[in-house]
Amino acid sequence: MEMFLPAIMSDLLGRSVSFVVQRYRQQSSVDDSVRQLQLSLLRVSVTVEEAEGRRITNQAMLRQLDLLREAMYRGYYMLDALTYGRSHGADAPPPCRLLSRINSAKRLCYLAGGNDGGVAELGRMVDRLGSMIADMKEFVVFLSGYPRVCHQQPRSAHLLLEKFMFGRQREIEQVVSFLLRPEGSGSGGVGVLPVVGPARIGKSTLVEHVCHDERVRSHFSSILRMNGDDLEVDEKLNDPGDHGLIIKHPGEHNTSRKKSSLVILELAEDEVPDEGRWRRLCSSAFCNGIGSKIIVTSRSEAAERLGTEHALRLKCLNQEAYWHYFKTLAFGSTNPEEHPKLVSIAMDICAEEKGSFIGANIACSLLKANLDARFWLSILQNMREYTEKHRHLFGKHPHDLLQKNRHVYLWRLAQTSKVFVSYGCYQACPDQKDVPRITLQEVLSGRPAPRGRFEALAWRSQIPPCYSYLMSCSVQTPVPHVHVLARKNRSRVA
């Protein structure tokens, strides 16, 4: 035994030293990869910012810009996850700074147990960005051949997002390219482009941005906006100006000699015009001009059969791009690096929103008003309880219910014996005068609400067509099983 004991101790010591050396090398390798990721993201973001400031019309370059932007969002999402991690509760310690020694060990453990392949995934991200940077030389050279977009840039990034459409640059140029094409195809020479997507995904906003483009407004002699009901009235088709359908009249810009018109047909719900109504529109006087075009916006995939072009499908932003949008709105002009714990909480709140633009603006308006970690955690806990409650009661996420205007139980920061119910989200026209004064943010934060059924302003968009989104709400006595479930969820979260 005395002979074997020194050998065993020597072997254990050797293994321990080898483990420590290997772990130190791994930590150094991870730190080097993170630093390289930071530098690569900086170079890519500079190129993307420069490209977004120019009016690119080449579809191949727009596709390459999309790939650069997508890689940038993925890289920043990974960097934030490594830097700040995710929140775990009210008593969780604040995350350490990125380059600290202690955080290096934590980051290594996070990568080793991560769902995305750990250290290998980090290495692949660095390699991918490096490959893109190497291929950007021609892209940067071609950029200088495109004119700059002339608009006043706000000083803060969150103000820029509130004034311009986020994440749809390629789609906007795709629609503009279709409209400026010399000749249409299909029946009567009228080109038709369907724009299809779920409710409140940004179809009308996309088309409105296109209609405000100087190239489009100078190309068409008139631009008209119609809905499905307008197709039933012959007087509106023959003389749309008397019925307020023309949104751009001849003479506003130097128009071409050809009297071509652009018709925006907005279809509600799953509405699709029958063959008779559609033929009446295509044969109307303002669609007979050479080069006239029609854009159809609809939630139904059946609208694709109306098109002479492949339908443009709008989808929700991916997780990484949505996080960039959410983080910018939540912190506003505040530097997120100064509030690392808030960033980790914000990542969890962002995951609960499930890509909703309206949900992001509602949540971020509450977060930005109070940069306190306990306040942000209370919002996260209420949102988790809110989501779990609806999954138990209805088997669906509450955002899925709101998409179909089904009622949902609202979460509130103030503990009360009453239950607030929303019966759906509705879109109000920009010129509607009777917009409610009470906001949904005030209801959620605990402000006393009116009795009975009332409407609250959920969000007023700052970009054309500047719609207001209203929530129809009411106060009810809590249903027993809802109250019990809420208490269970509160105790589980606590």
Side-chain angles (χ1 to χ4, degrees):
M1 189 65 183
E2 294 179 357
M3 297 176 57
F4 287 109
L5 186 59
I8 294 174
M9 294 297 295
S10 177
D11 182 67
L12 290 176
L13 180 61
R15 289 175 181 270
S16 300
V17 172
S18 177
F19 175 78
V20 171
V21 171
Q22 183 180 4
R23 179 55 65 96
Y24 177 79
R25 288 178 177 176
Q26 282 184 299
Q27 290 179 1
S28 300
S29 175
V30 169
D31 282 344
D32 290 341
S33 296
V34 170
R35 292 189 186 95
Q36 192 172 355
L37 177 61
Q38 287 178 306
L39 294 176
S40 299
L41 286 172
L42 182 60
R43 296 185 63 181
V44 172
S45 61
V46 168
T47 304
V48 170
E49 184 177 351
E50 175 65 20
E52 289 178 344
R54 295 182 179 270
R55 195 181 297 280
I56 303 175
T57 57
N58 185 281
Q59 293 298 315
M61 289 190 66
L62 287 172
R63 177 58 182 161
Q64 187 173 358
L65 177 58
D66 256 6
L67 294 176
L68 283 173
R69 192 184 292 113
E70 180 182 353
M72 181 185 70
Y73 291 147
R74 290 184 182 276
Y76 275 120
Y77 184 85
M78 176 177 287
L79 186 61
D80 284 342
L82 296 176
T83 305
Y84 307 109
R86 304 291 288 272
S87 63
H88 300 287
D91 298 327
C96 302
R97 300 307 296 267
L98 178 63
L99 301 179
S100 67
R101 294 283 184 179
I102 298 177
N103 201 40
S104 299
K106 290 184 178 181
R107 182 163 57 244
L108 182 62
C109 294
Y110 173 82
L111 289 172
N115 297 325
D116 296 329
V119 179
E121 179 68 18
L122 175 60
R124 284 193 293 269
M125 176 60 69
V126 173
D127 292 341
R128 183 183 181 190
L129 290 174
S131 176
M132 285 186 164
I133 291 172
D135 296 336
M136 283 193 312
K137 296 180 181 178
E138 294 83 1
F139 181 82
V140 173
V141 172
F142 291 145
L143 275 182
S144 60
Y146 291 95
R148 292 188 177 276
V149 179
C150 297
H151 55 68
Q152 186 177 3
Q153 293 282 356
R155 294 184 178 180
S156 299
H158 75 283
L159 296 178
L160 179 66
L161 290 188
E162 291 177 355
K163 295 296 183 181
F164 296 93
M165 195 172 189
F166 178 78
R168 304 294 188 195
Q169 290 84 355
R170 183 173 64 88
E171 288 83 353
I172 290 175
E173 289 300 329
Q174 183 176 342
V175 177
V176 171
S177 176
F178 158 75
L179 295 177
L180 300 185
R181 199 176 303 161
E183 295 181 0
S185 59
S187 176
V190 182
V192 182
L193 175 65
V195 179
V196 181
R200 293 180 285 277
I201 198 65
K203 300 183 293 296
S204 298
T205 304
L206 172 69
V207 174
E208 191 76 13
H209 270 64
V210 170
C211 291
H212 278 75
D213 193 292
E214 186 70 20
R215 296 168 292 172
V216 174
R217 296 184 74 85
S218 62
H219 183 79
F220 293 98
S221 60
S222 61
I223 302 177
L224 305 93
R225 181 186 291 114
M226 311 180 70
N227 56 44
D229 295 335
D230 295 329
L231 302 183
E232 298 285 355
V233 184
D234 292 335
E235 290 78 5
K236 291 186 177 182
L237 294 176
N238 295 329
D239 195 359
D242 290 344
H243 297 85
L245 300 180
I246 296 182
I247 59 176
K248 183 259 176 180
H249 295 272
E252 291 186 18
H253 298 275
N254 294 325
T255 58
S256 60
R257 295 180 181 178
K258 300 177 181 178
K259 294 183 178 181
S260 57
S261 299
L262 170 60
V263 179
I264 312 299
L265 178 60
E266 298 181 346
L267 301 177
E269 300 295 335
D270 297 330
E271 175 189 14
V272 178
D274 56 35
E275 185 176 352
R277 290 194 299 169
W278 181 249
R279 190 184 303 113
R280 188 183 299 117
L281 172 63
C282 293
S283 61
S284 59
F286 48 84
C287 285
N288 288 334
I290 299 176
S292 294
K293 302 292 177 66
I294 300 176
I295 297 179
V296 180
T297 63
S298 175
R299 303 180 191 177
S300 174
E301 295 182 358
E304 295 182 15
R305 63 178 174 82
L306 302 175
T308 61
E309 304 284 326
H310 291 295
L312 177 61
R313 292 174 172 268
L314 295 186
K315 299 179 181 179
C316 294
L317 299 178
N318 58 45
Q319 183 183 23
E320 295 81 8
Y322 185 71
W323 163 241
H324 178 84
Y325 177 80
F326 188 94
K327 176 183 174 183
T328 305
L329 290 183
F331 286 92
S333 57
T334 304
N335 185 3
E337 295 181 2
E338 298 177 357
H339 304 275
K341 186 174 182 180
L342 295 185
V343 178
S344 65
I345 301 172
M347 294 190 77
D348 285 331
I349 297 177
C350 178
E352 295 292 332
E353 288 295 351
K354 203 181 177 183
S356 170
F357 283 106
I358 298 179
N361 280 272
I362 294 174
C364 290
S365 63
L366 291 171
L367 299 175
K368 189 165 54 177
N370 188 353
L371 298 178
D372 179 73
R374 292 191 177 276
F375 178 76
W376 285 36
L377 278 171
S378 64
I379 291 179
L380 172 61
Q381 291 169 357
N382 276 278
M383 293 183 67
R384 283 176 170 171
E385 176 186 321
Y386 165 75
T387 301
E388 187 176 354
K389 178 195 304 181
H390 287 81
R391 291 193 187 279
H392 276 81
L393 293 177
F394 308 108
K396 292 184 178 181
H397 193 281
H399 289 318
D400 296 332
L401 298 172
L402 284 174
Q403 286 283 354
K404 299 180 180 180
N405 282 333
R406 299 273 301 277
H407 75 274
V408 296
Y409 296 96
L410 294 176
W411 60 271
R412 298 190 84 208
L413 293 175
Q415 299 297 329
T416 177
S417 59
K418 297 180 180 179
V419 173
F420 281 77
V421 182
S422 171
Y423 295 94
C425 184
Y426 306 93
Q427 185 173 286
C429 297
D431 54 354
Q432 183 171 332
K433 298 180 180 179
D434 55 343
V435 176
R437 293 185 178 181
I438 185 172
T439 65
L440 187 63
Q441 291 87 333
E442 292 172 336
V443 174
L444 297 179
S445 60
R447 174 182 171 179
R451 295 181 179 180
R453 193 159 177 170
F454 63 95
E455 287 188 340
L457 176 62
W459 176 48
R460 180 183 286 110
S461 175
Q462 299 298 315
I463 58 179
C466 299
Y467 285 126
S468 296
Y469 297 90
L470 312 180
M471 286 277 193
S472 179
C473 310
S474 70
V475 184
Q476 295 182 0
T477 303
V479 182
H481 68 276
V482 174
H483 186 64
V484 172
L485 180 60
R487 284 190 305 179
K488 289 182 179 180
N489 288 336
R490 278 197 294 271
S491 61
R492 189 181 294 116
V493 171

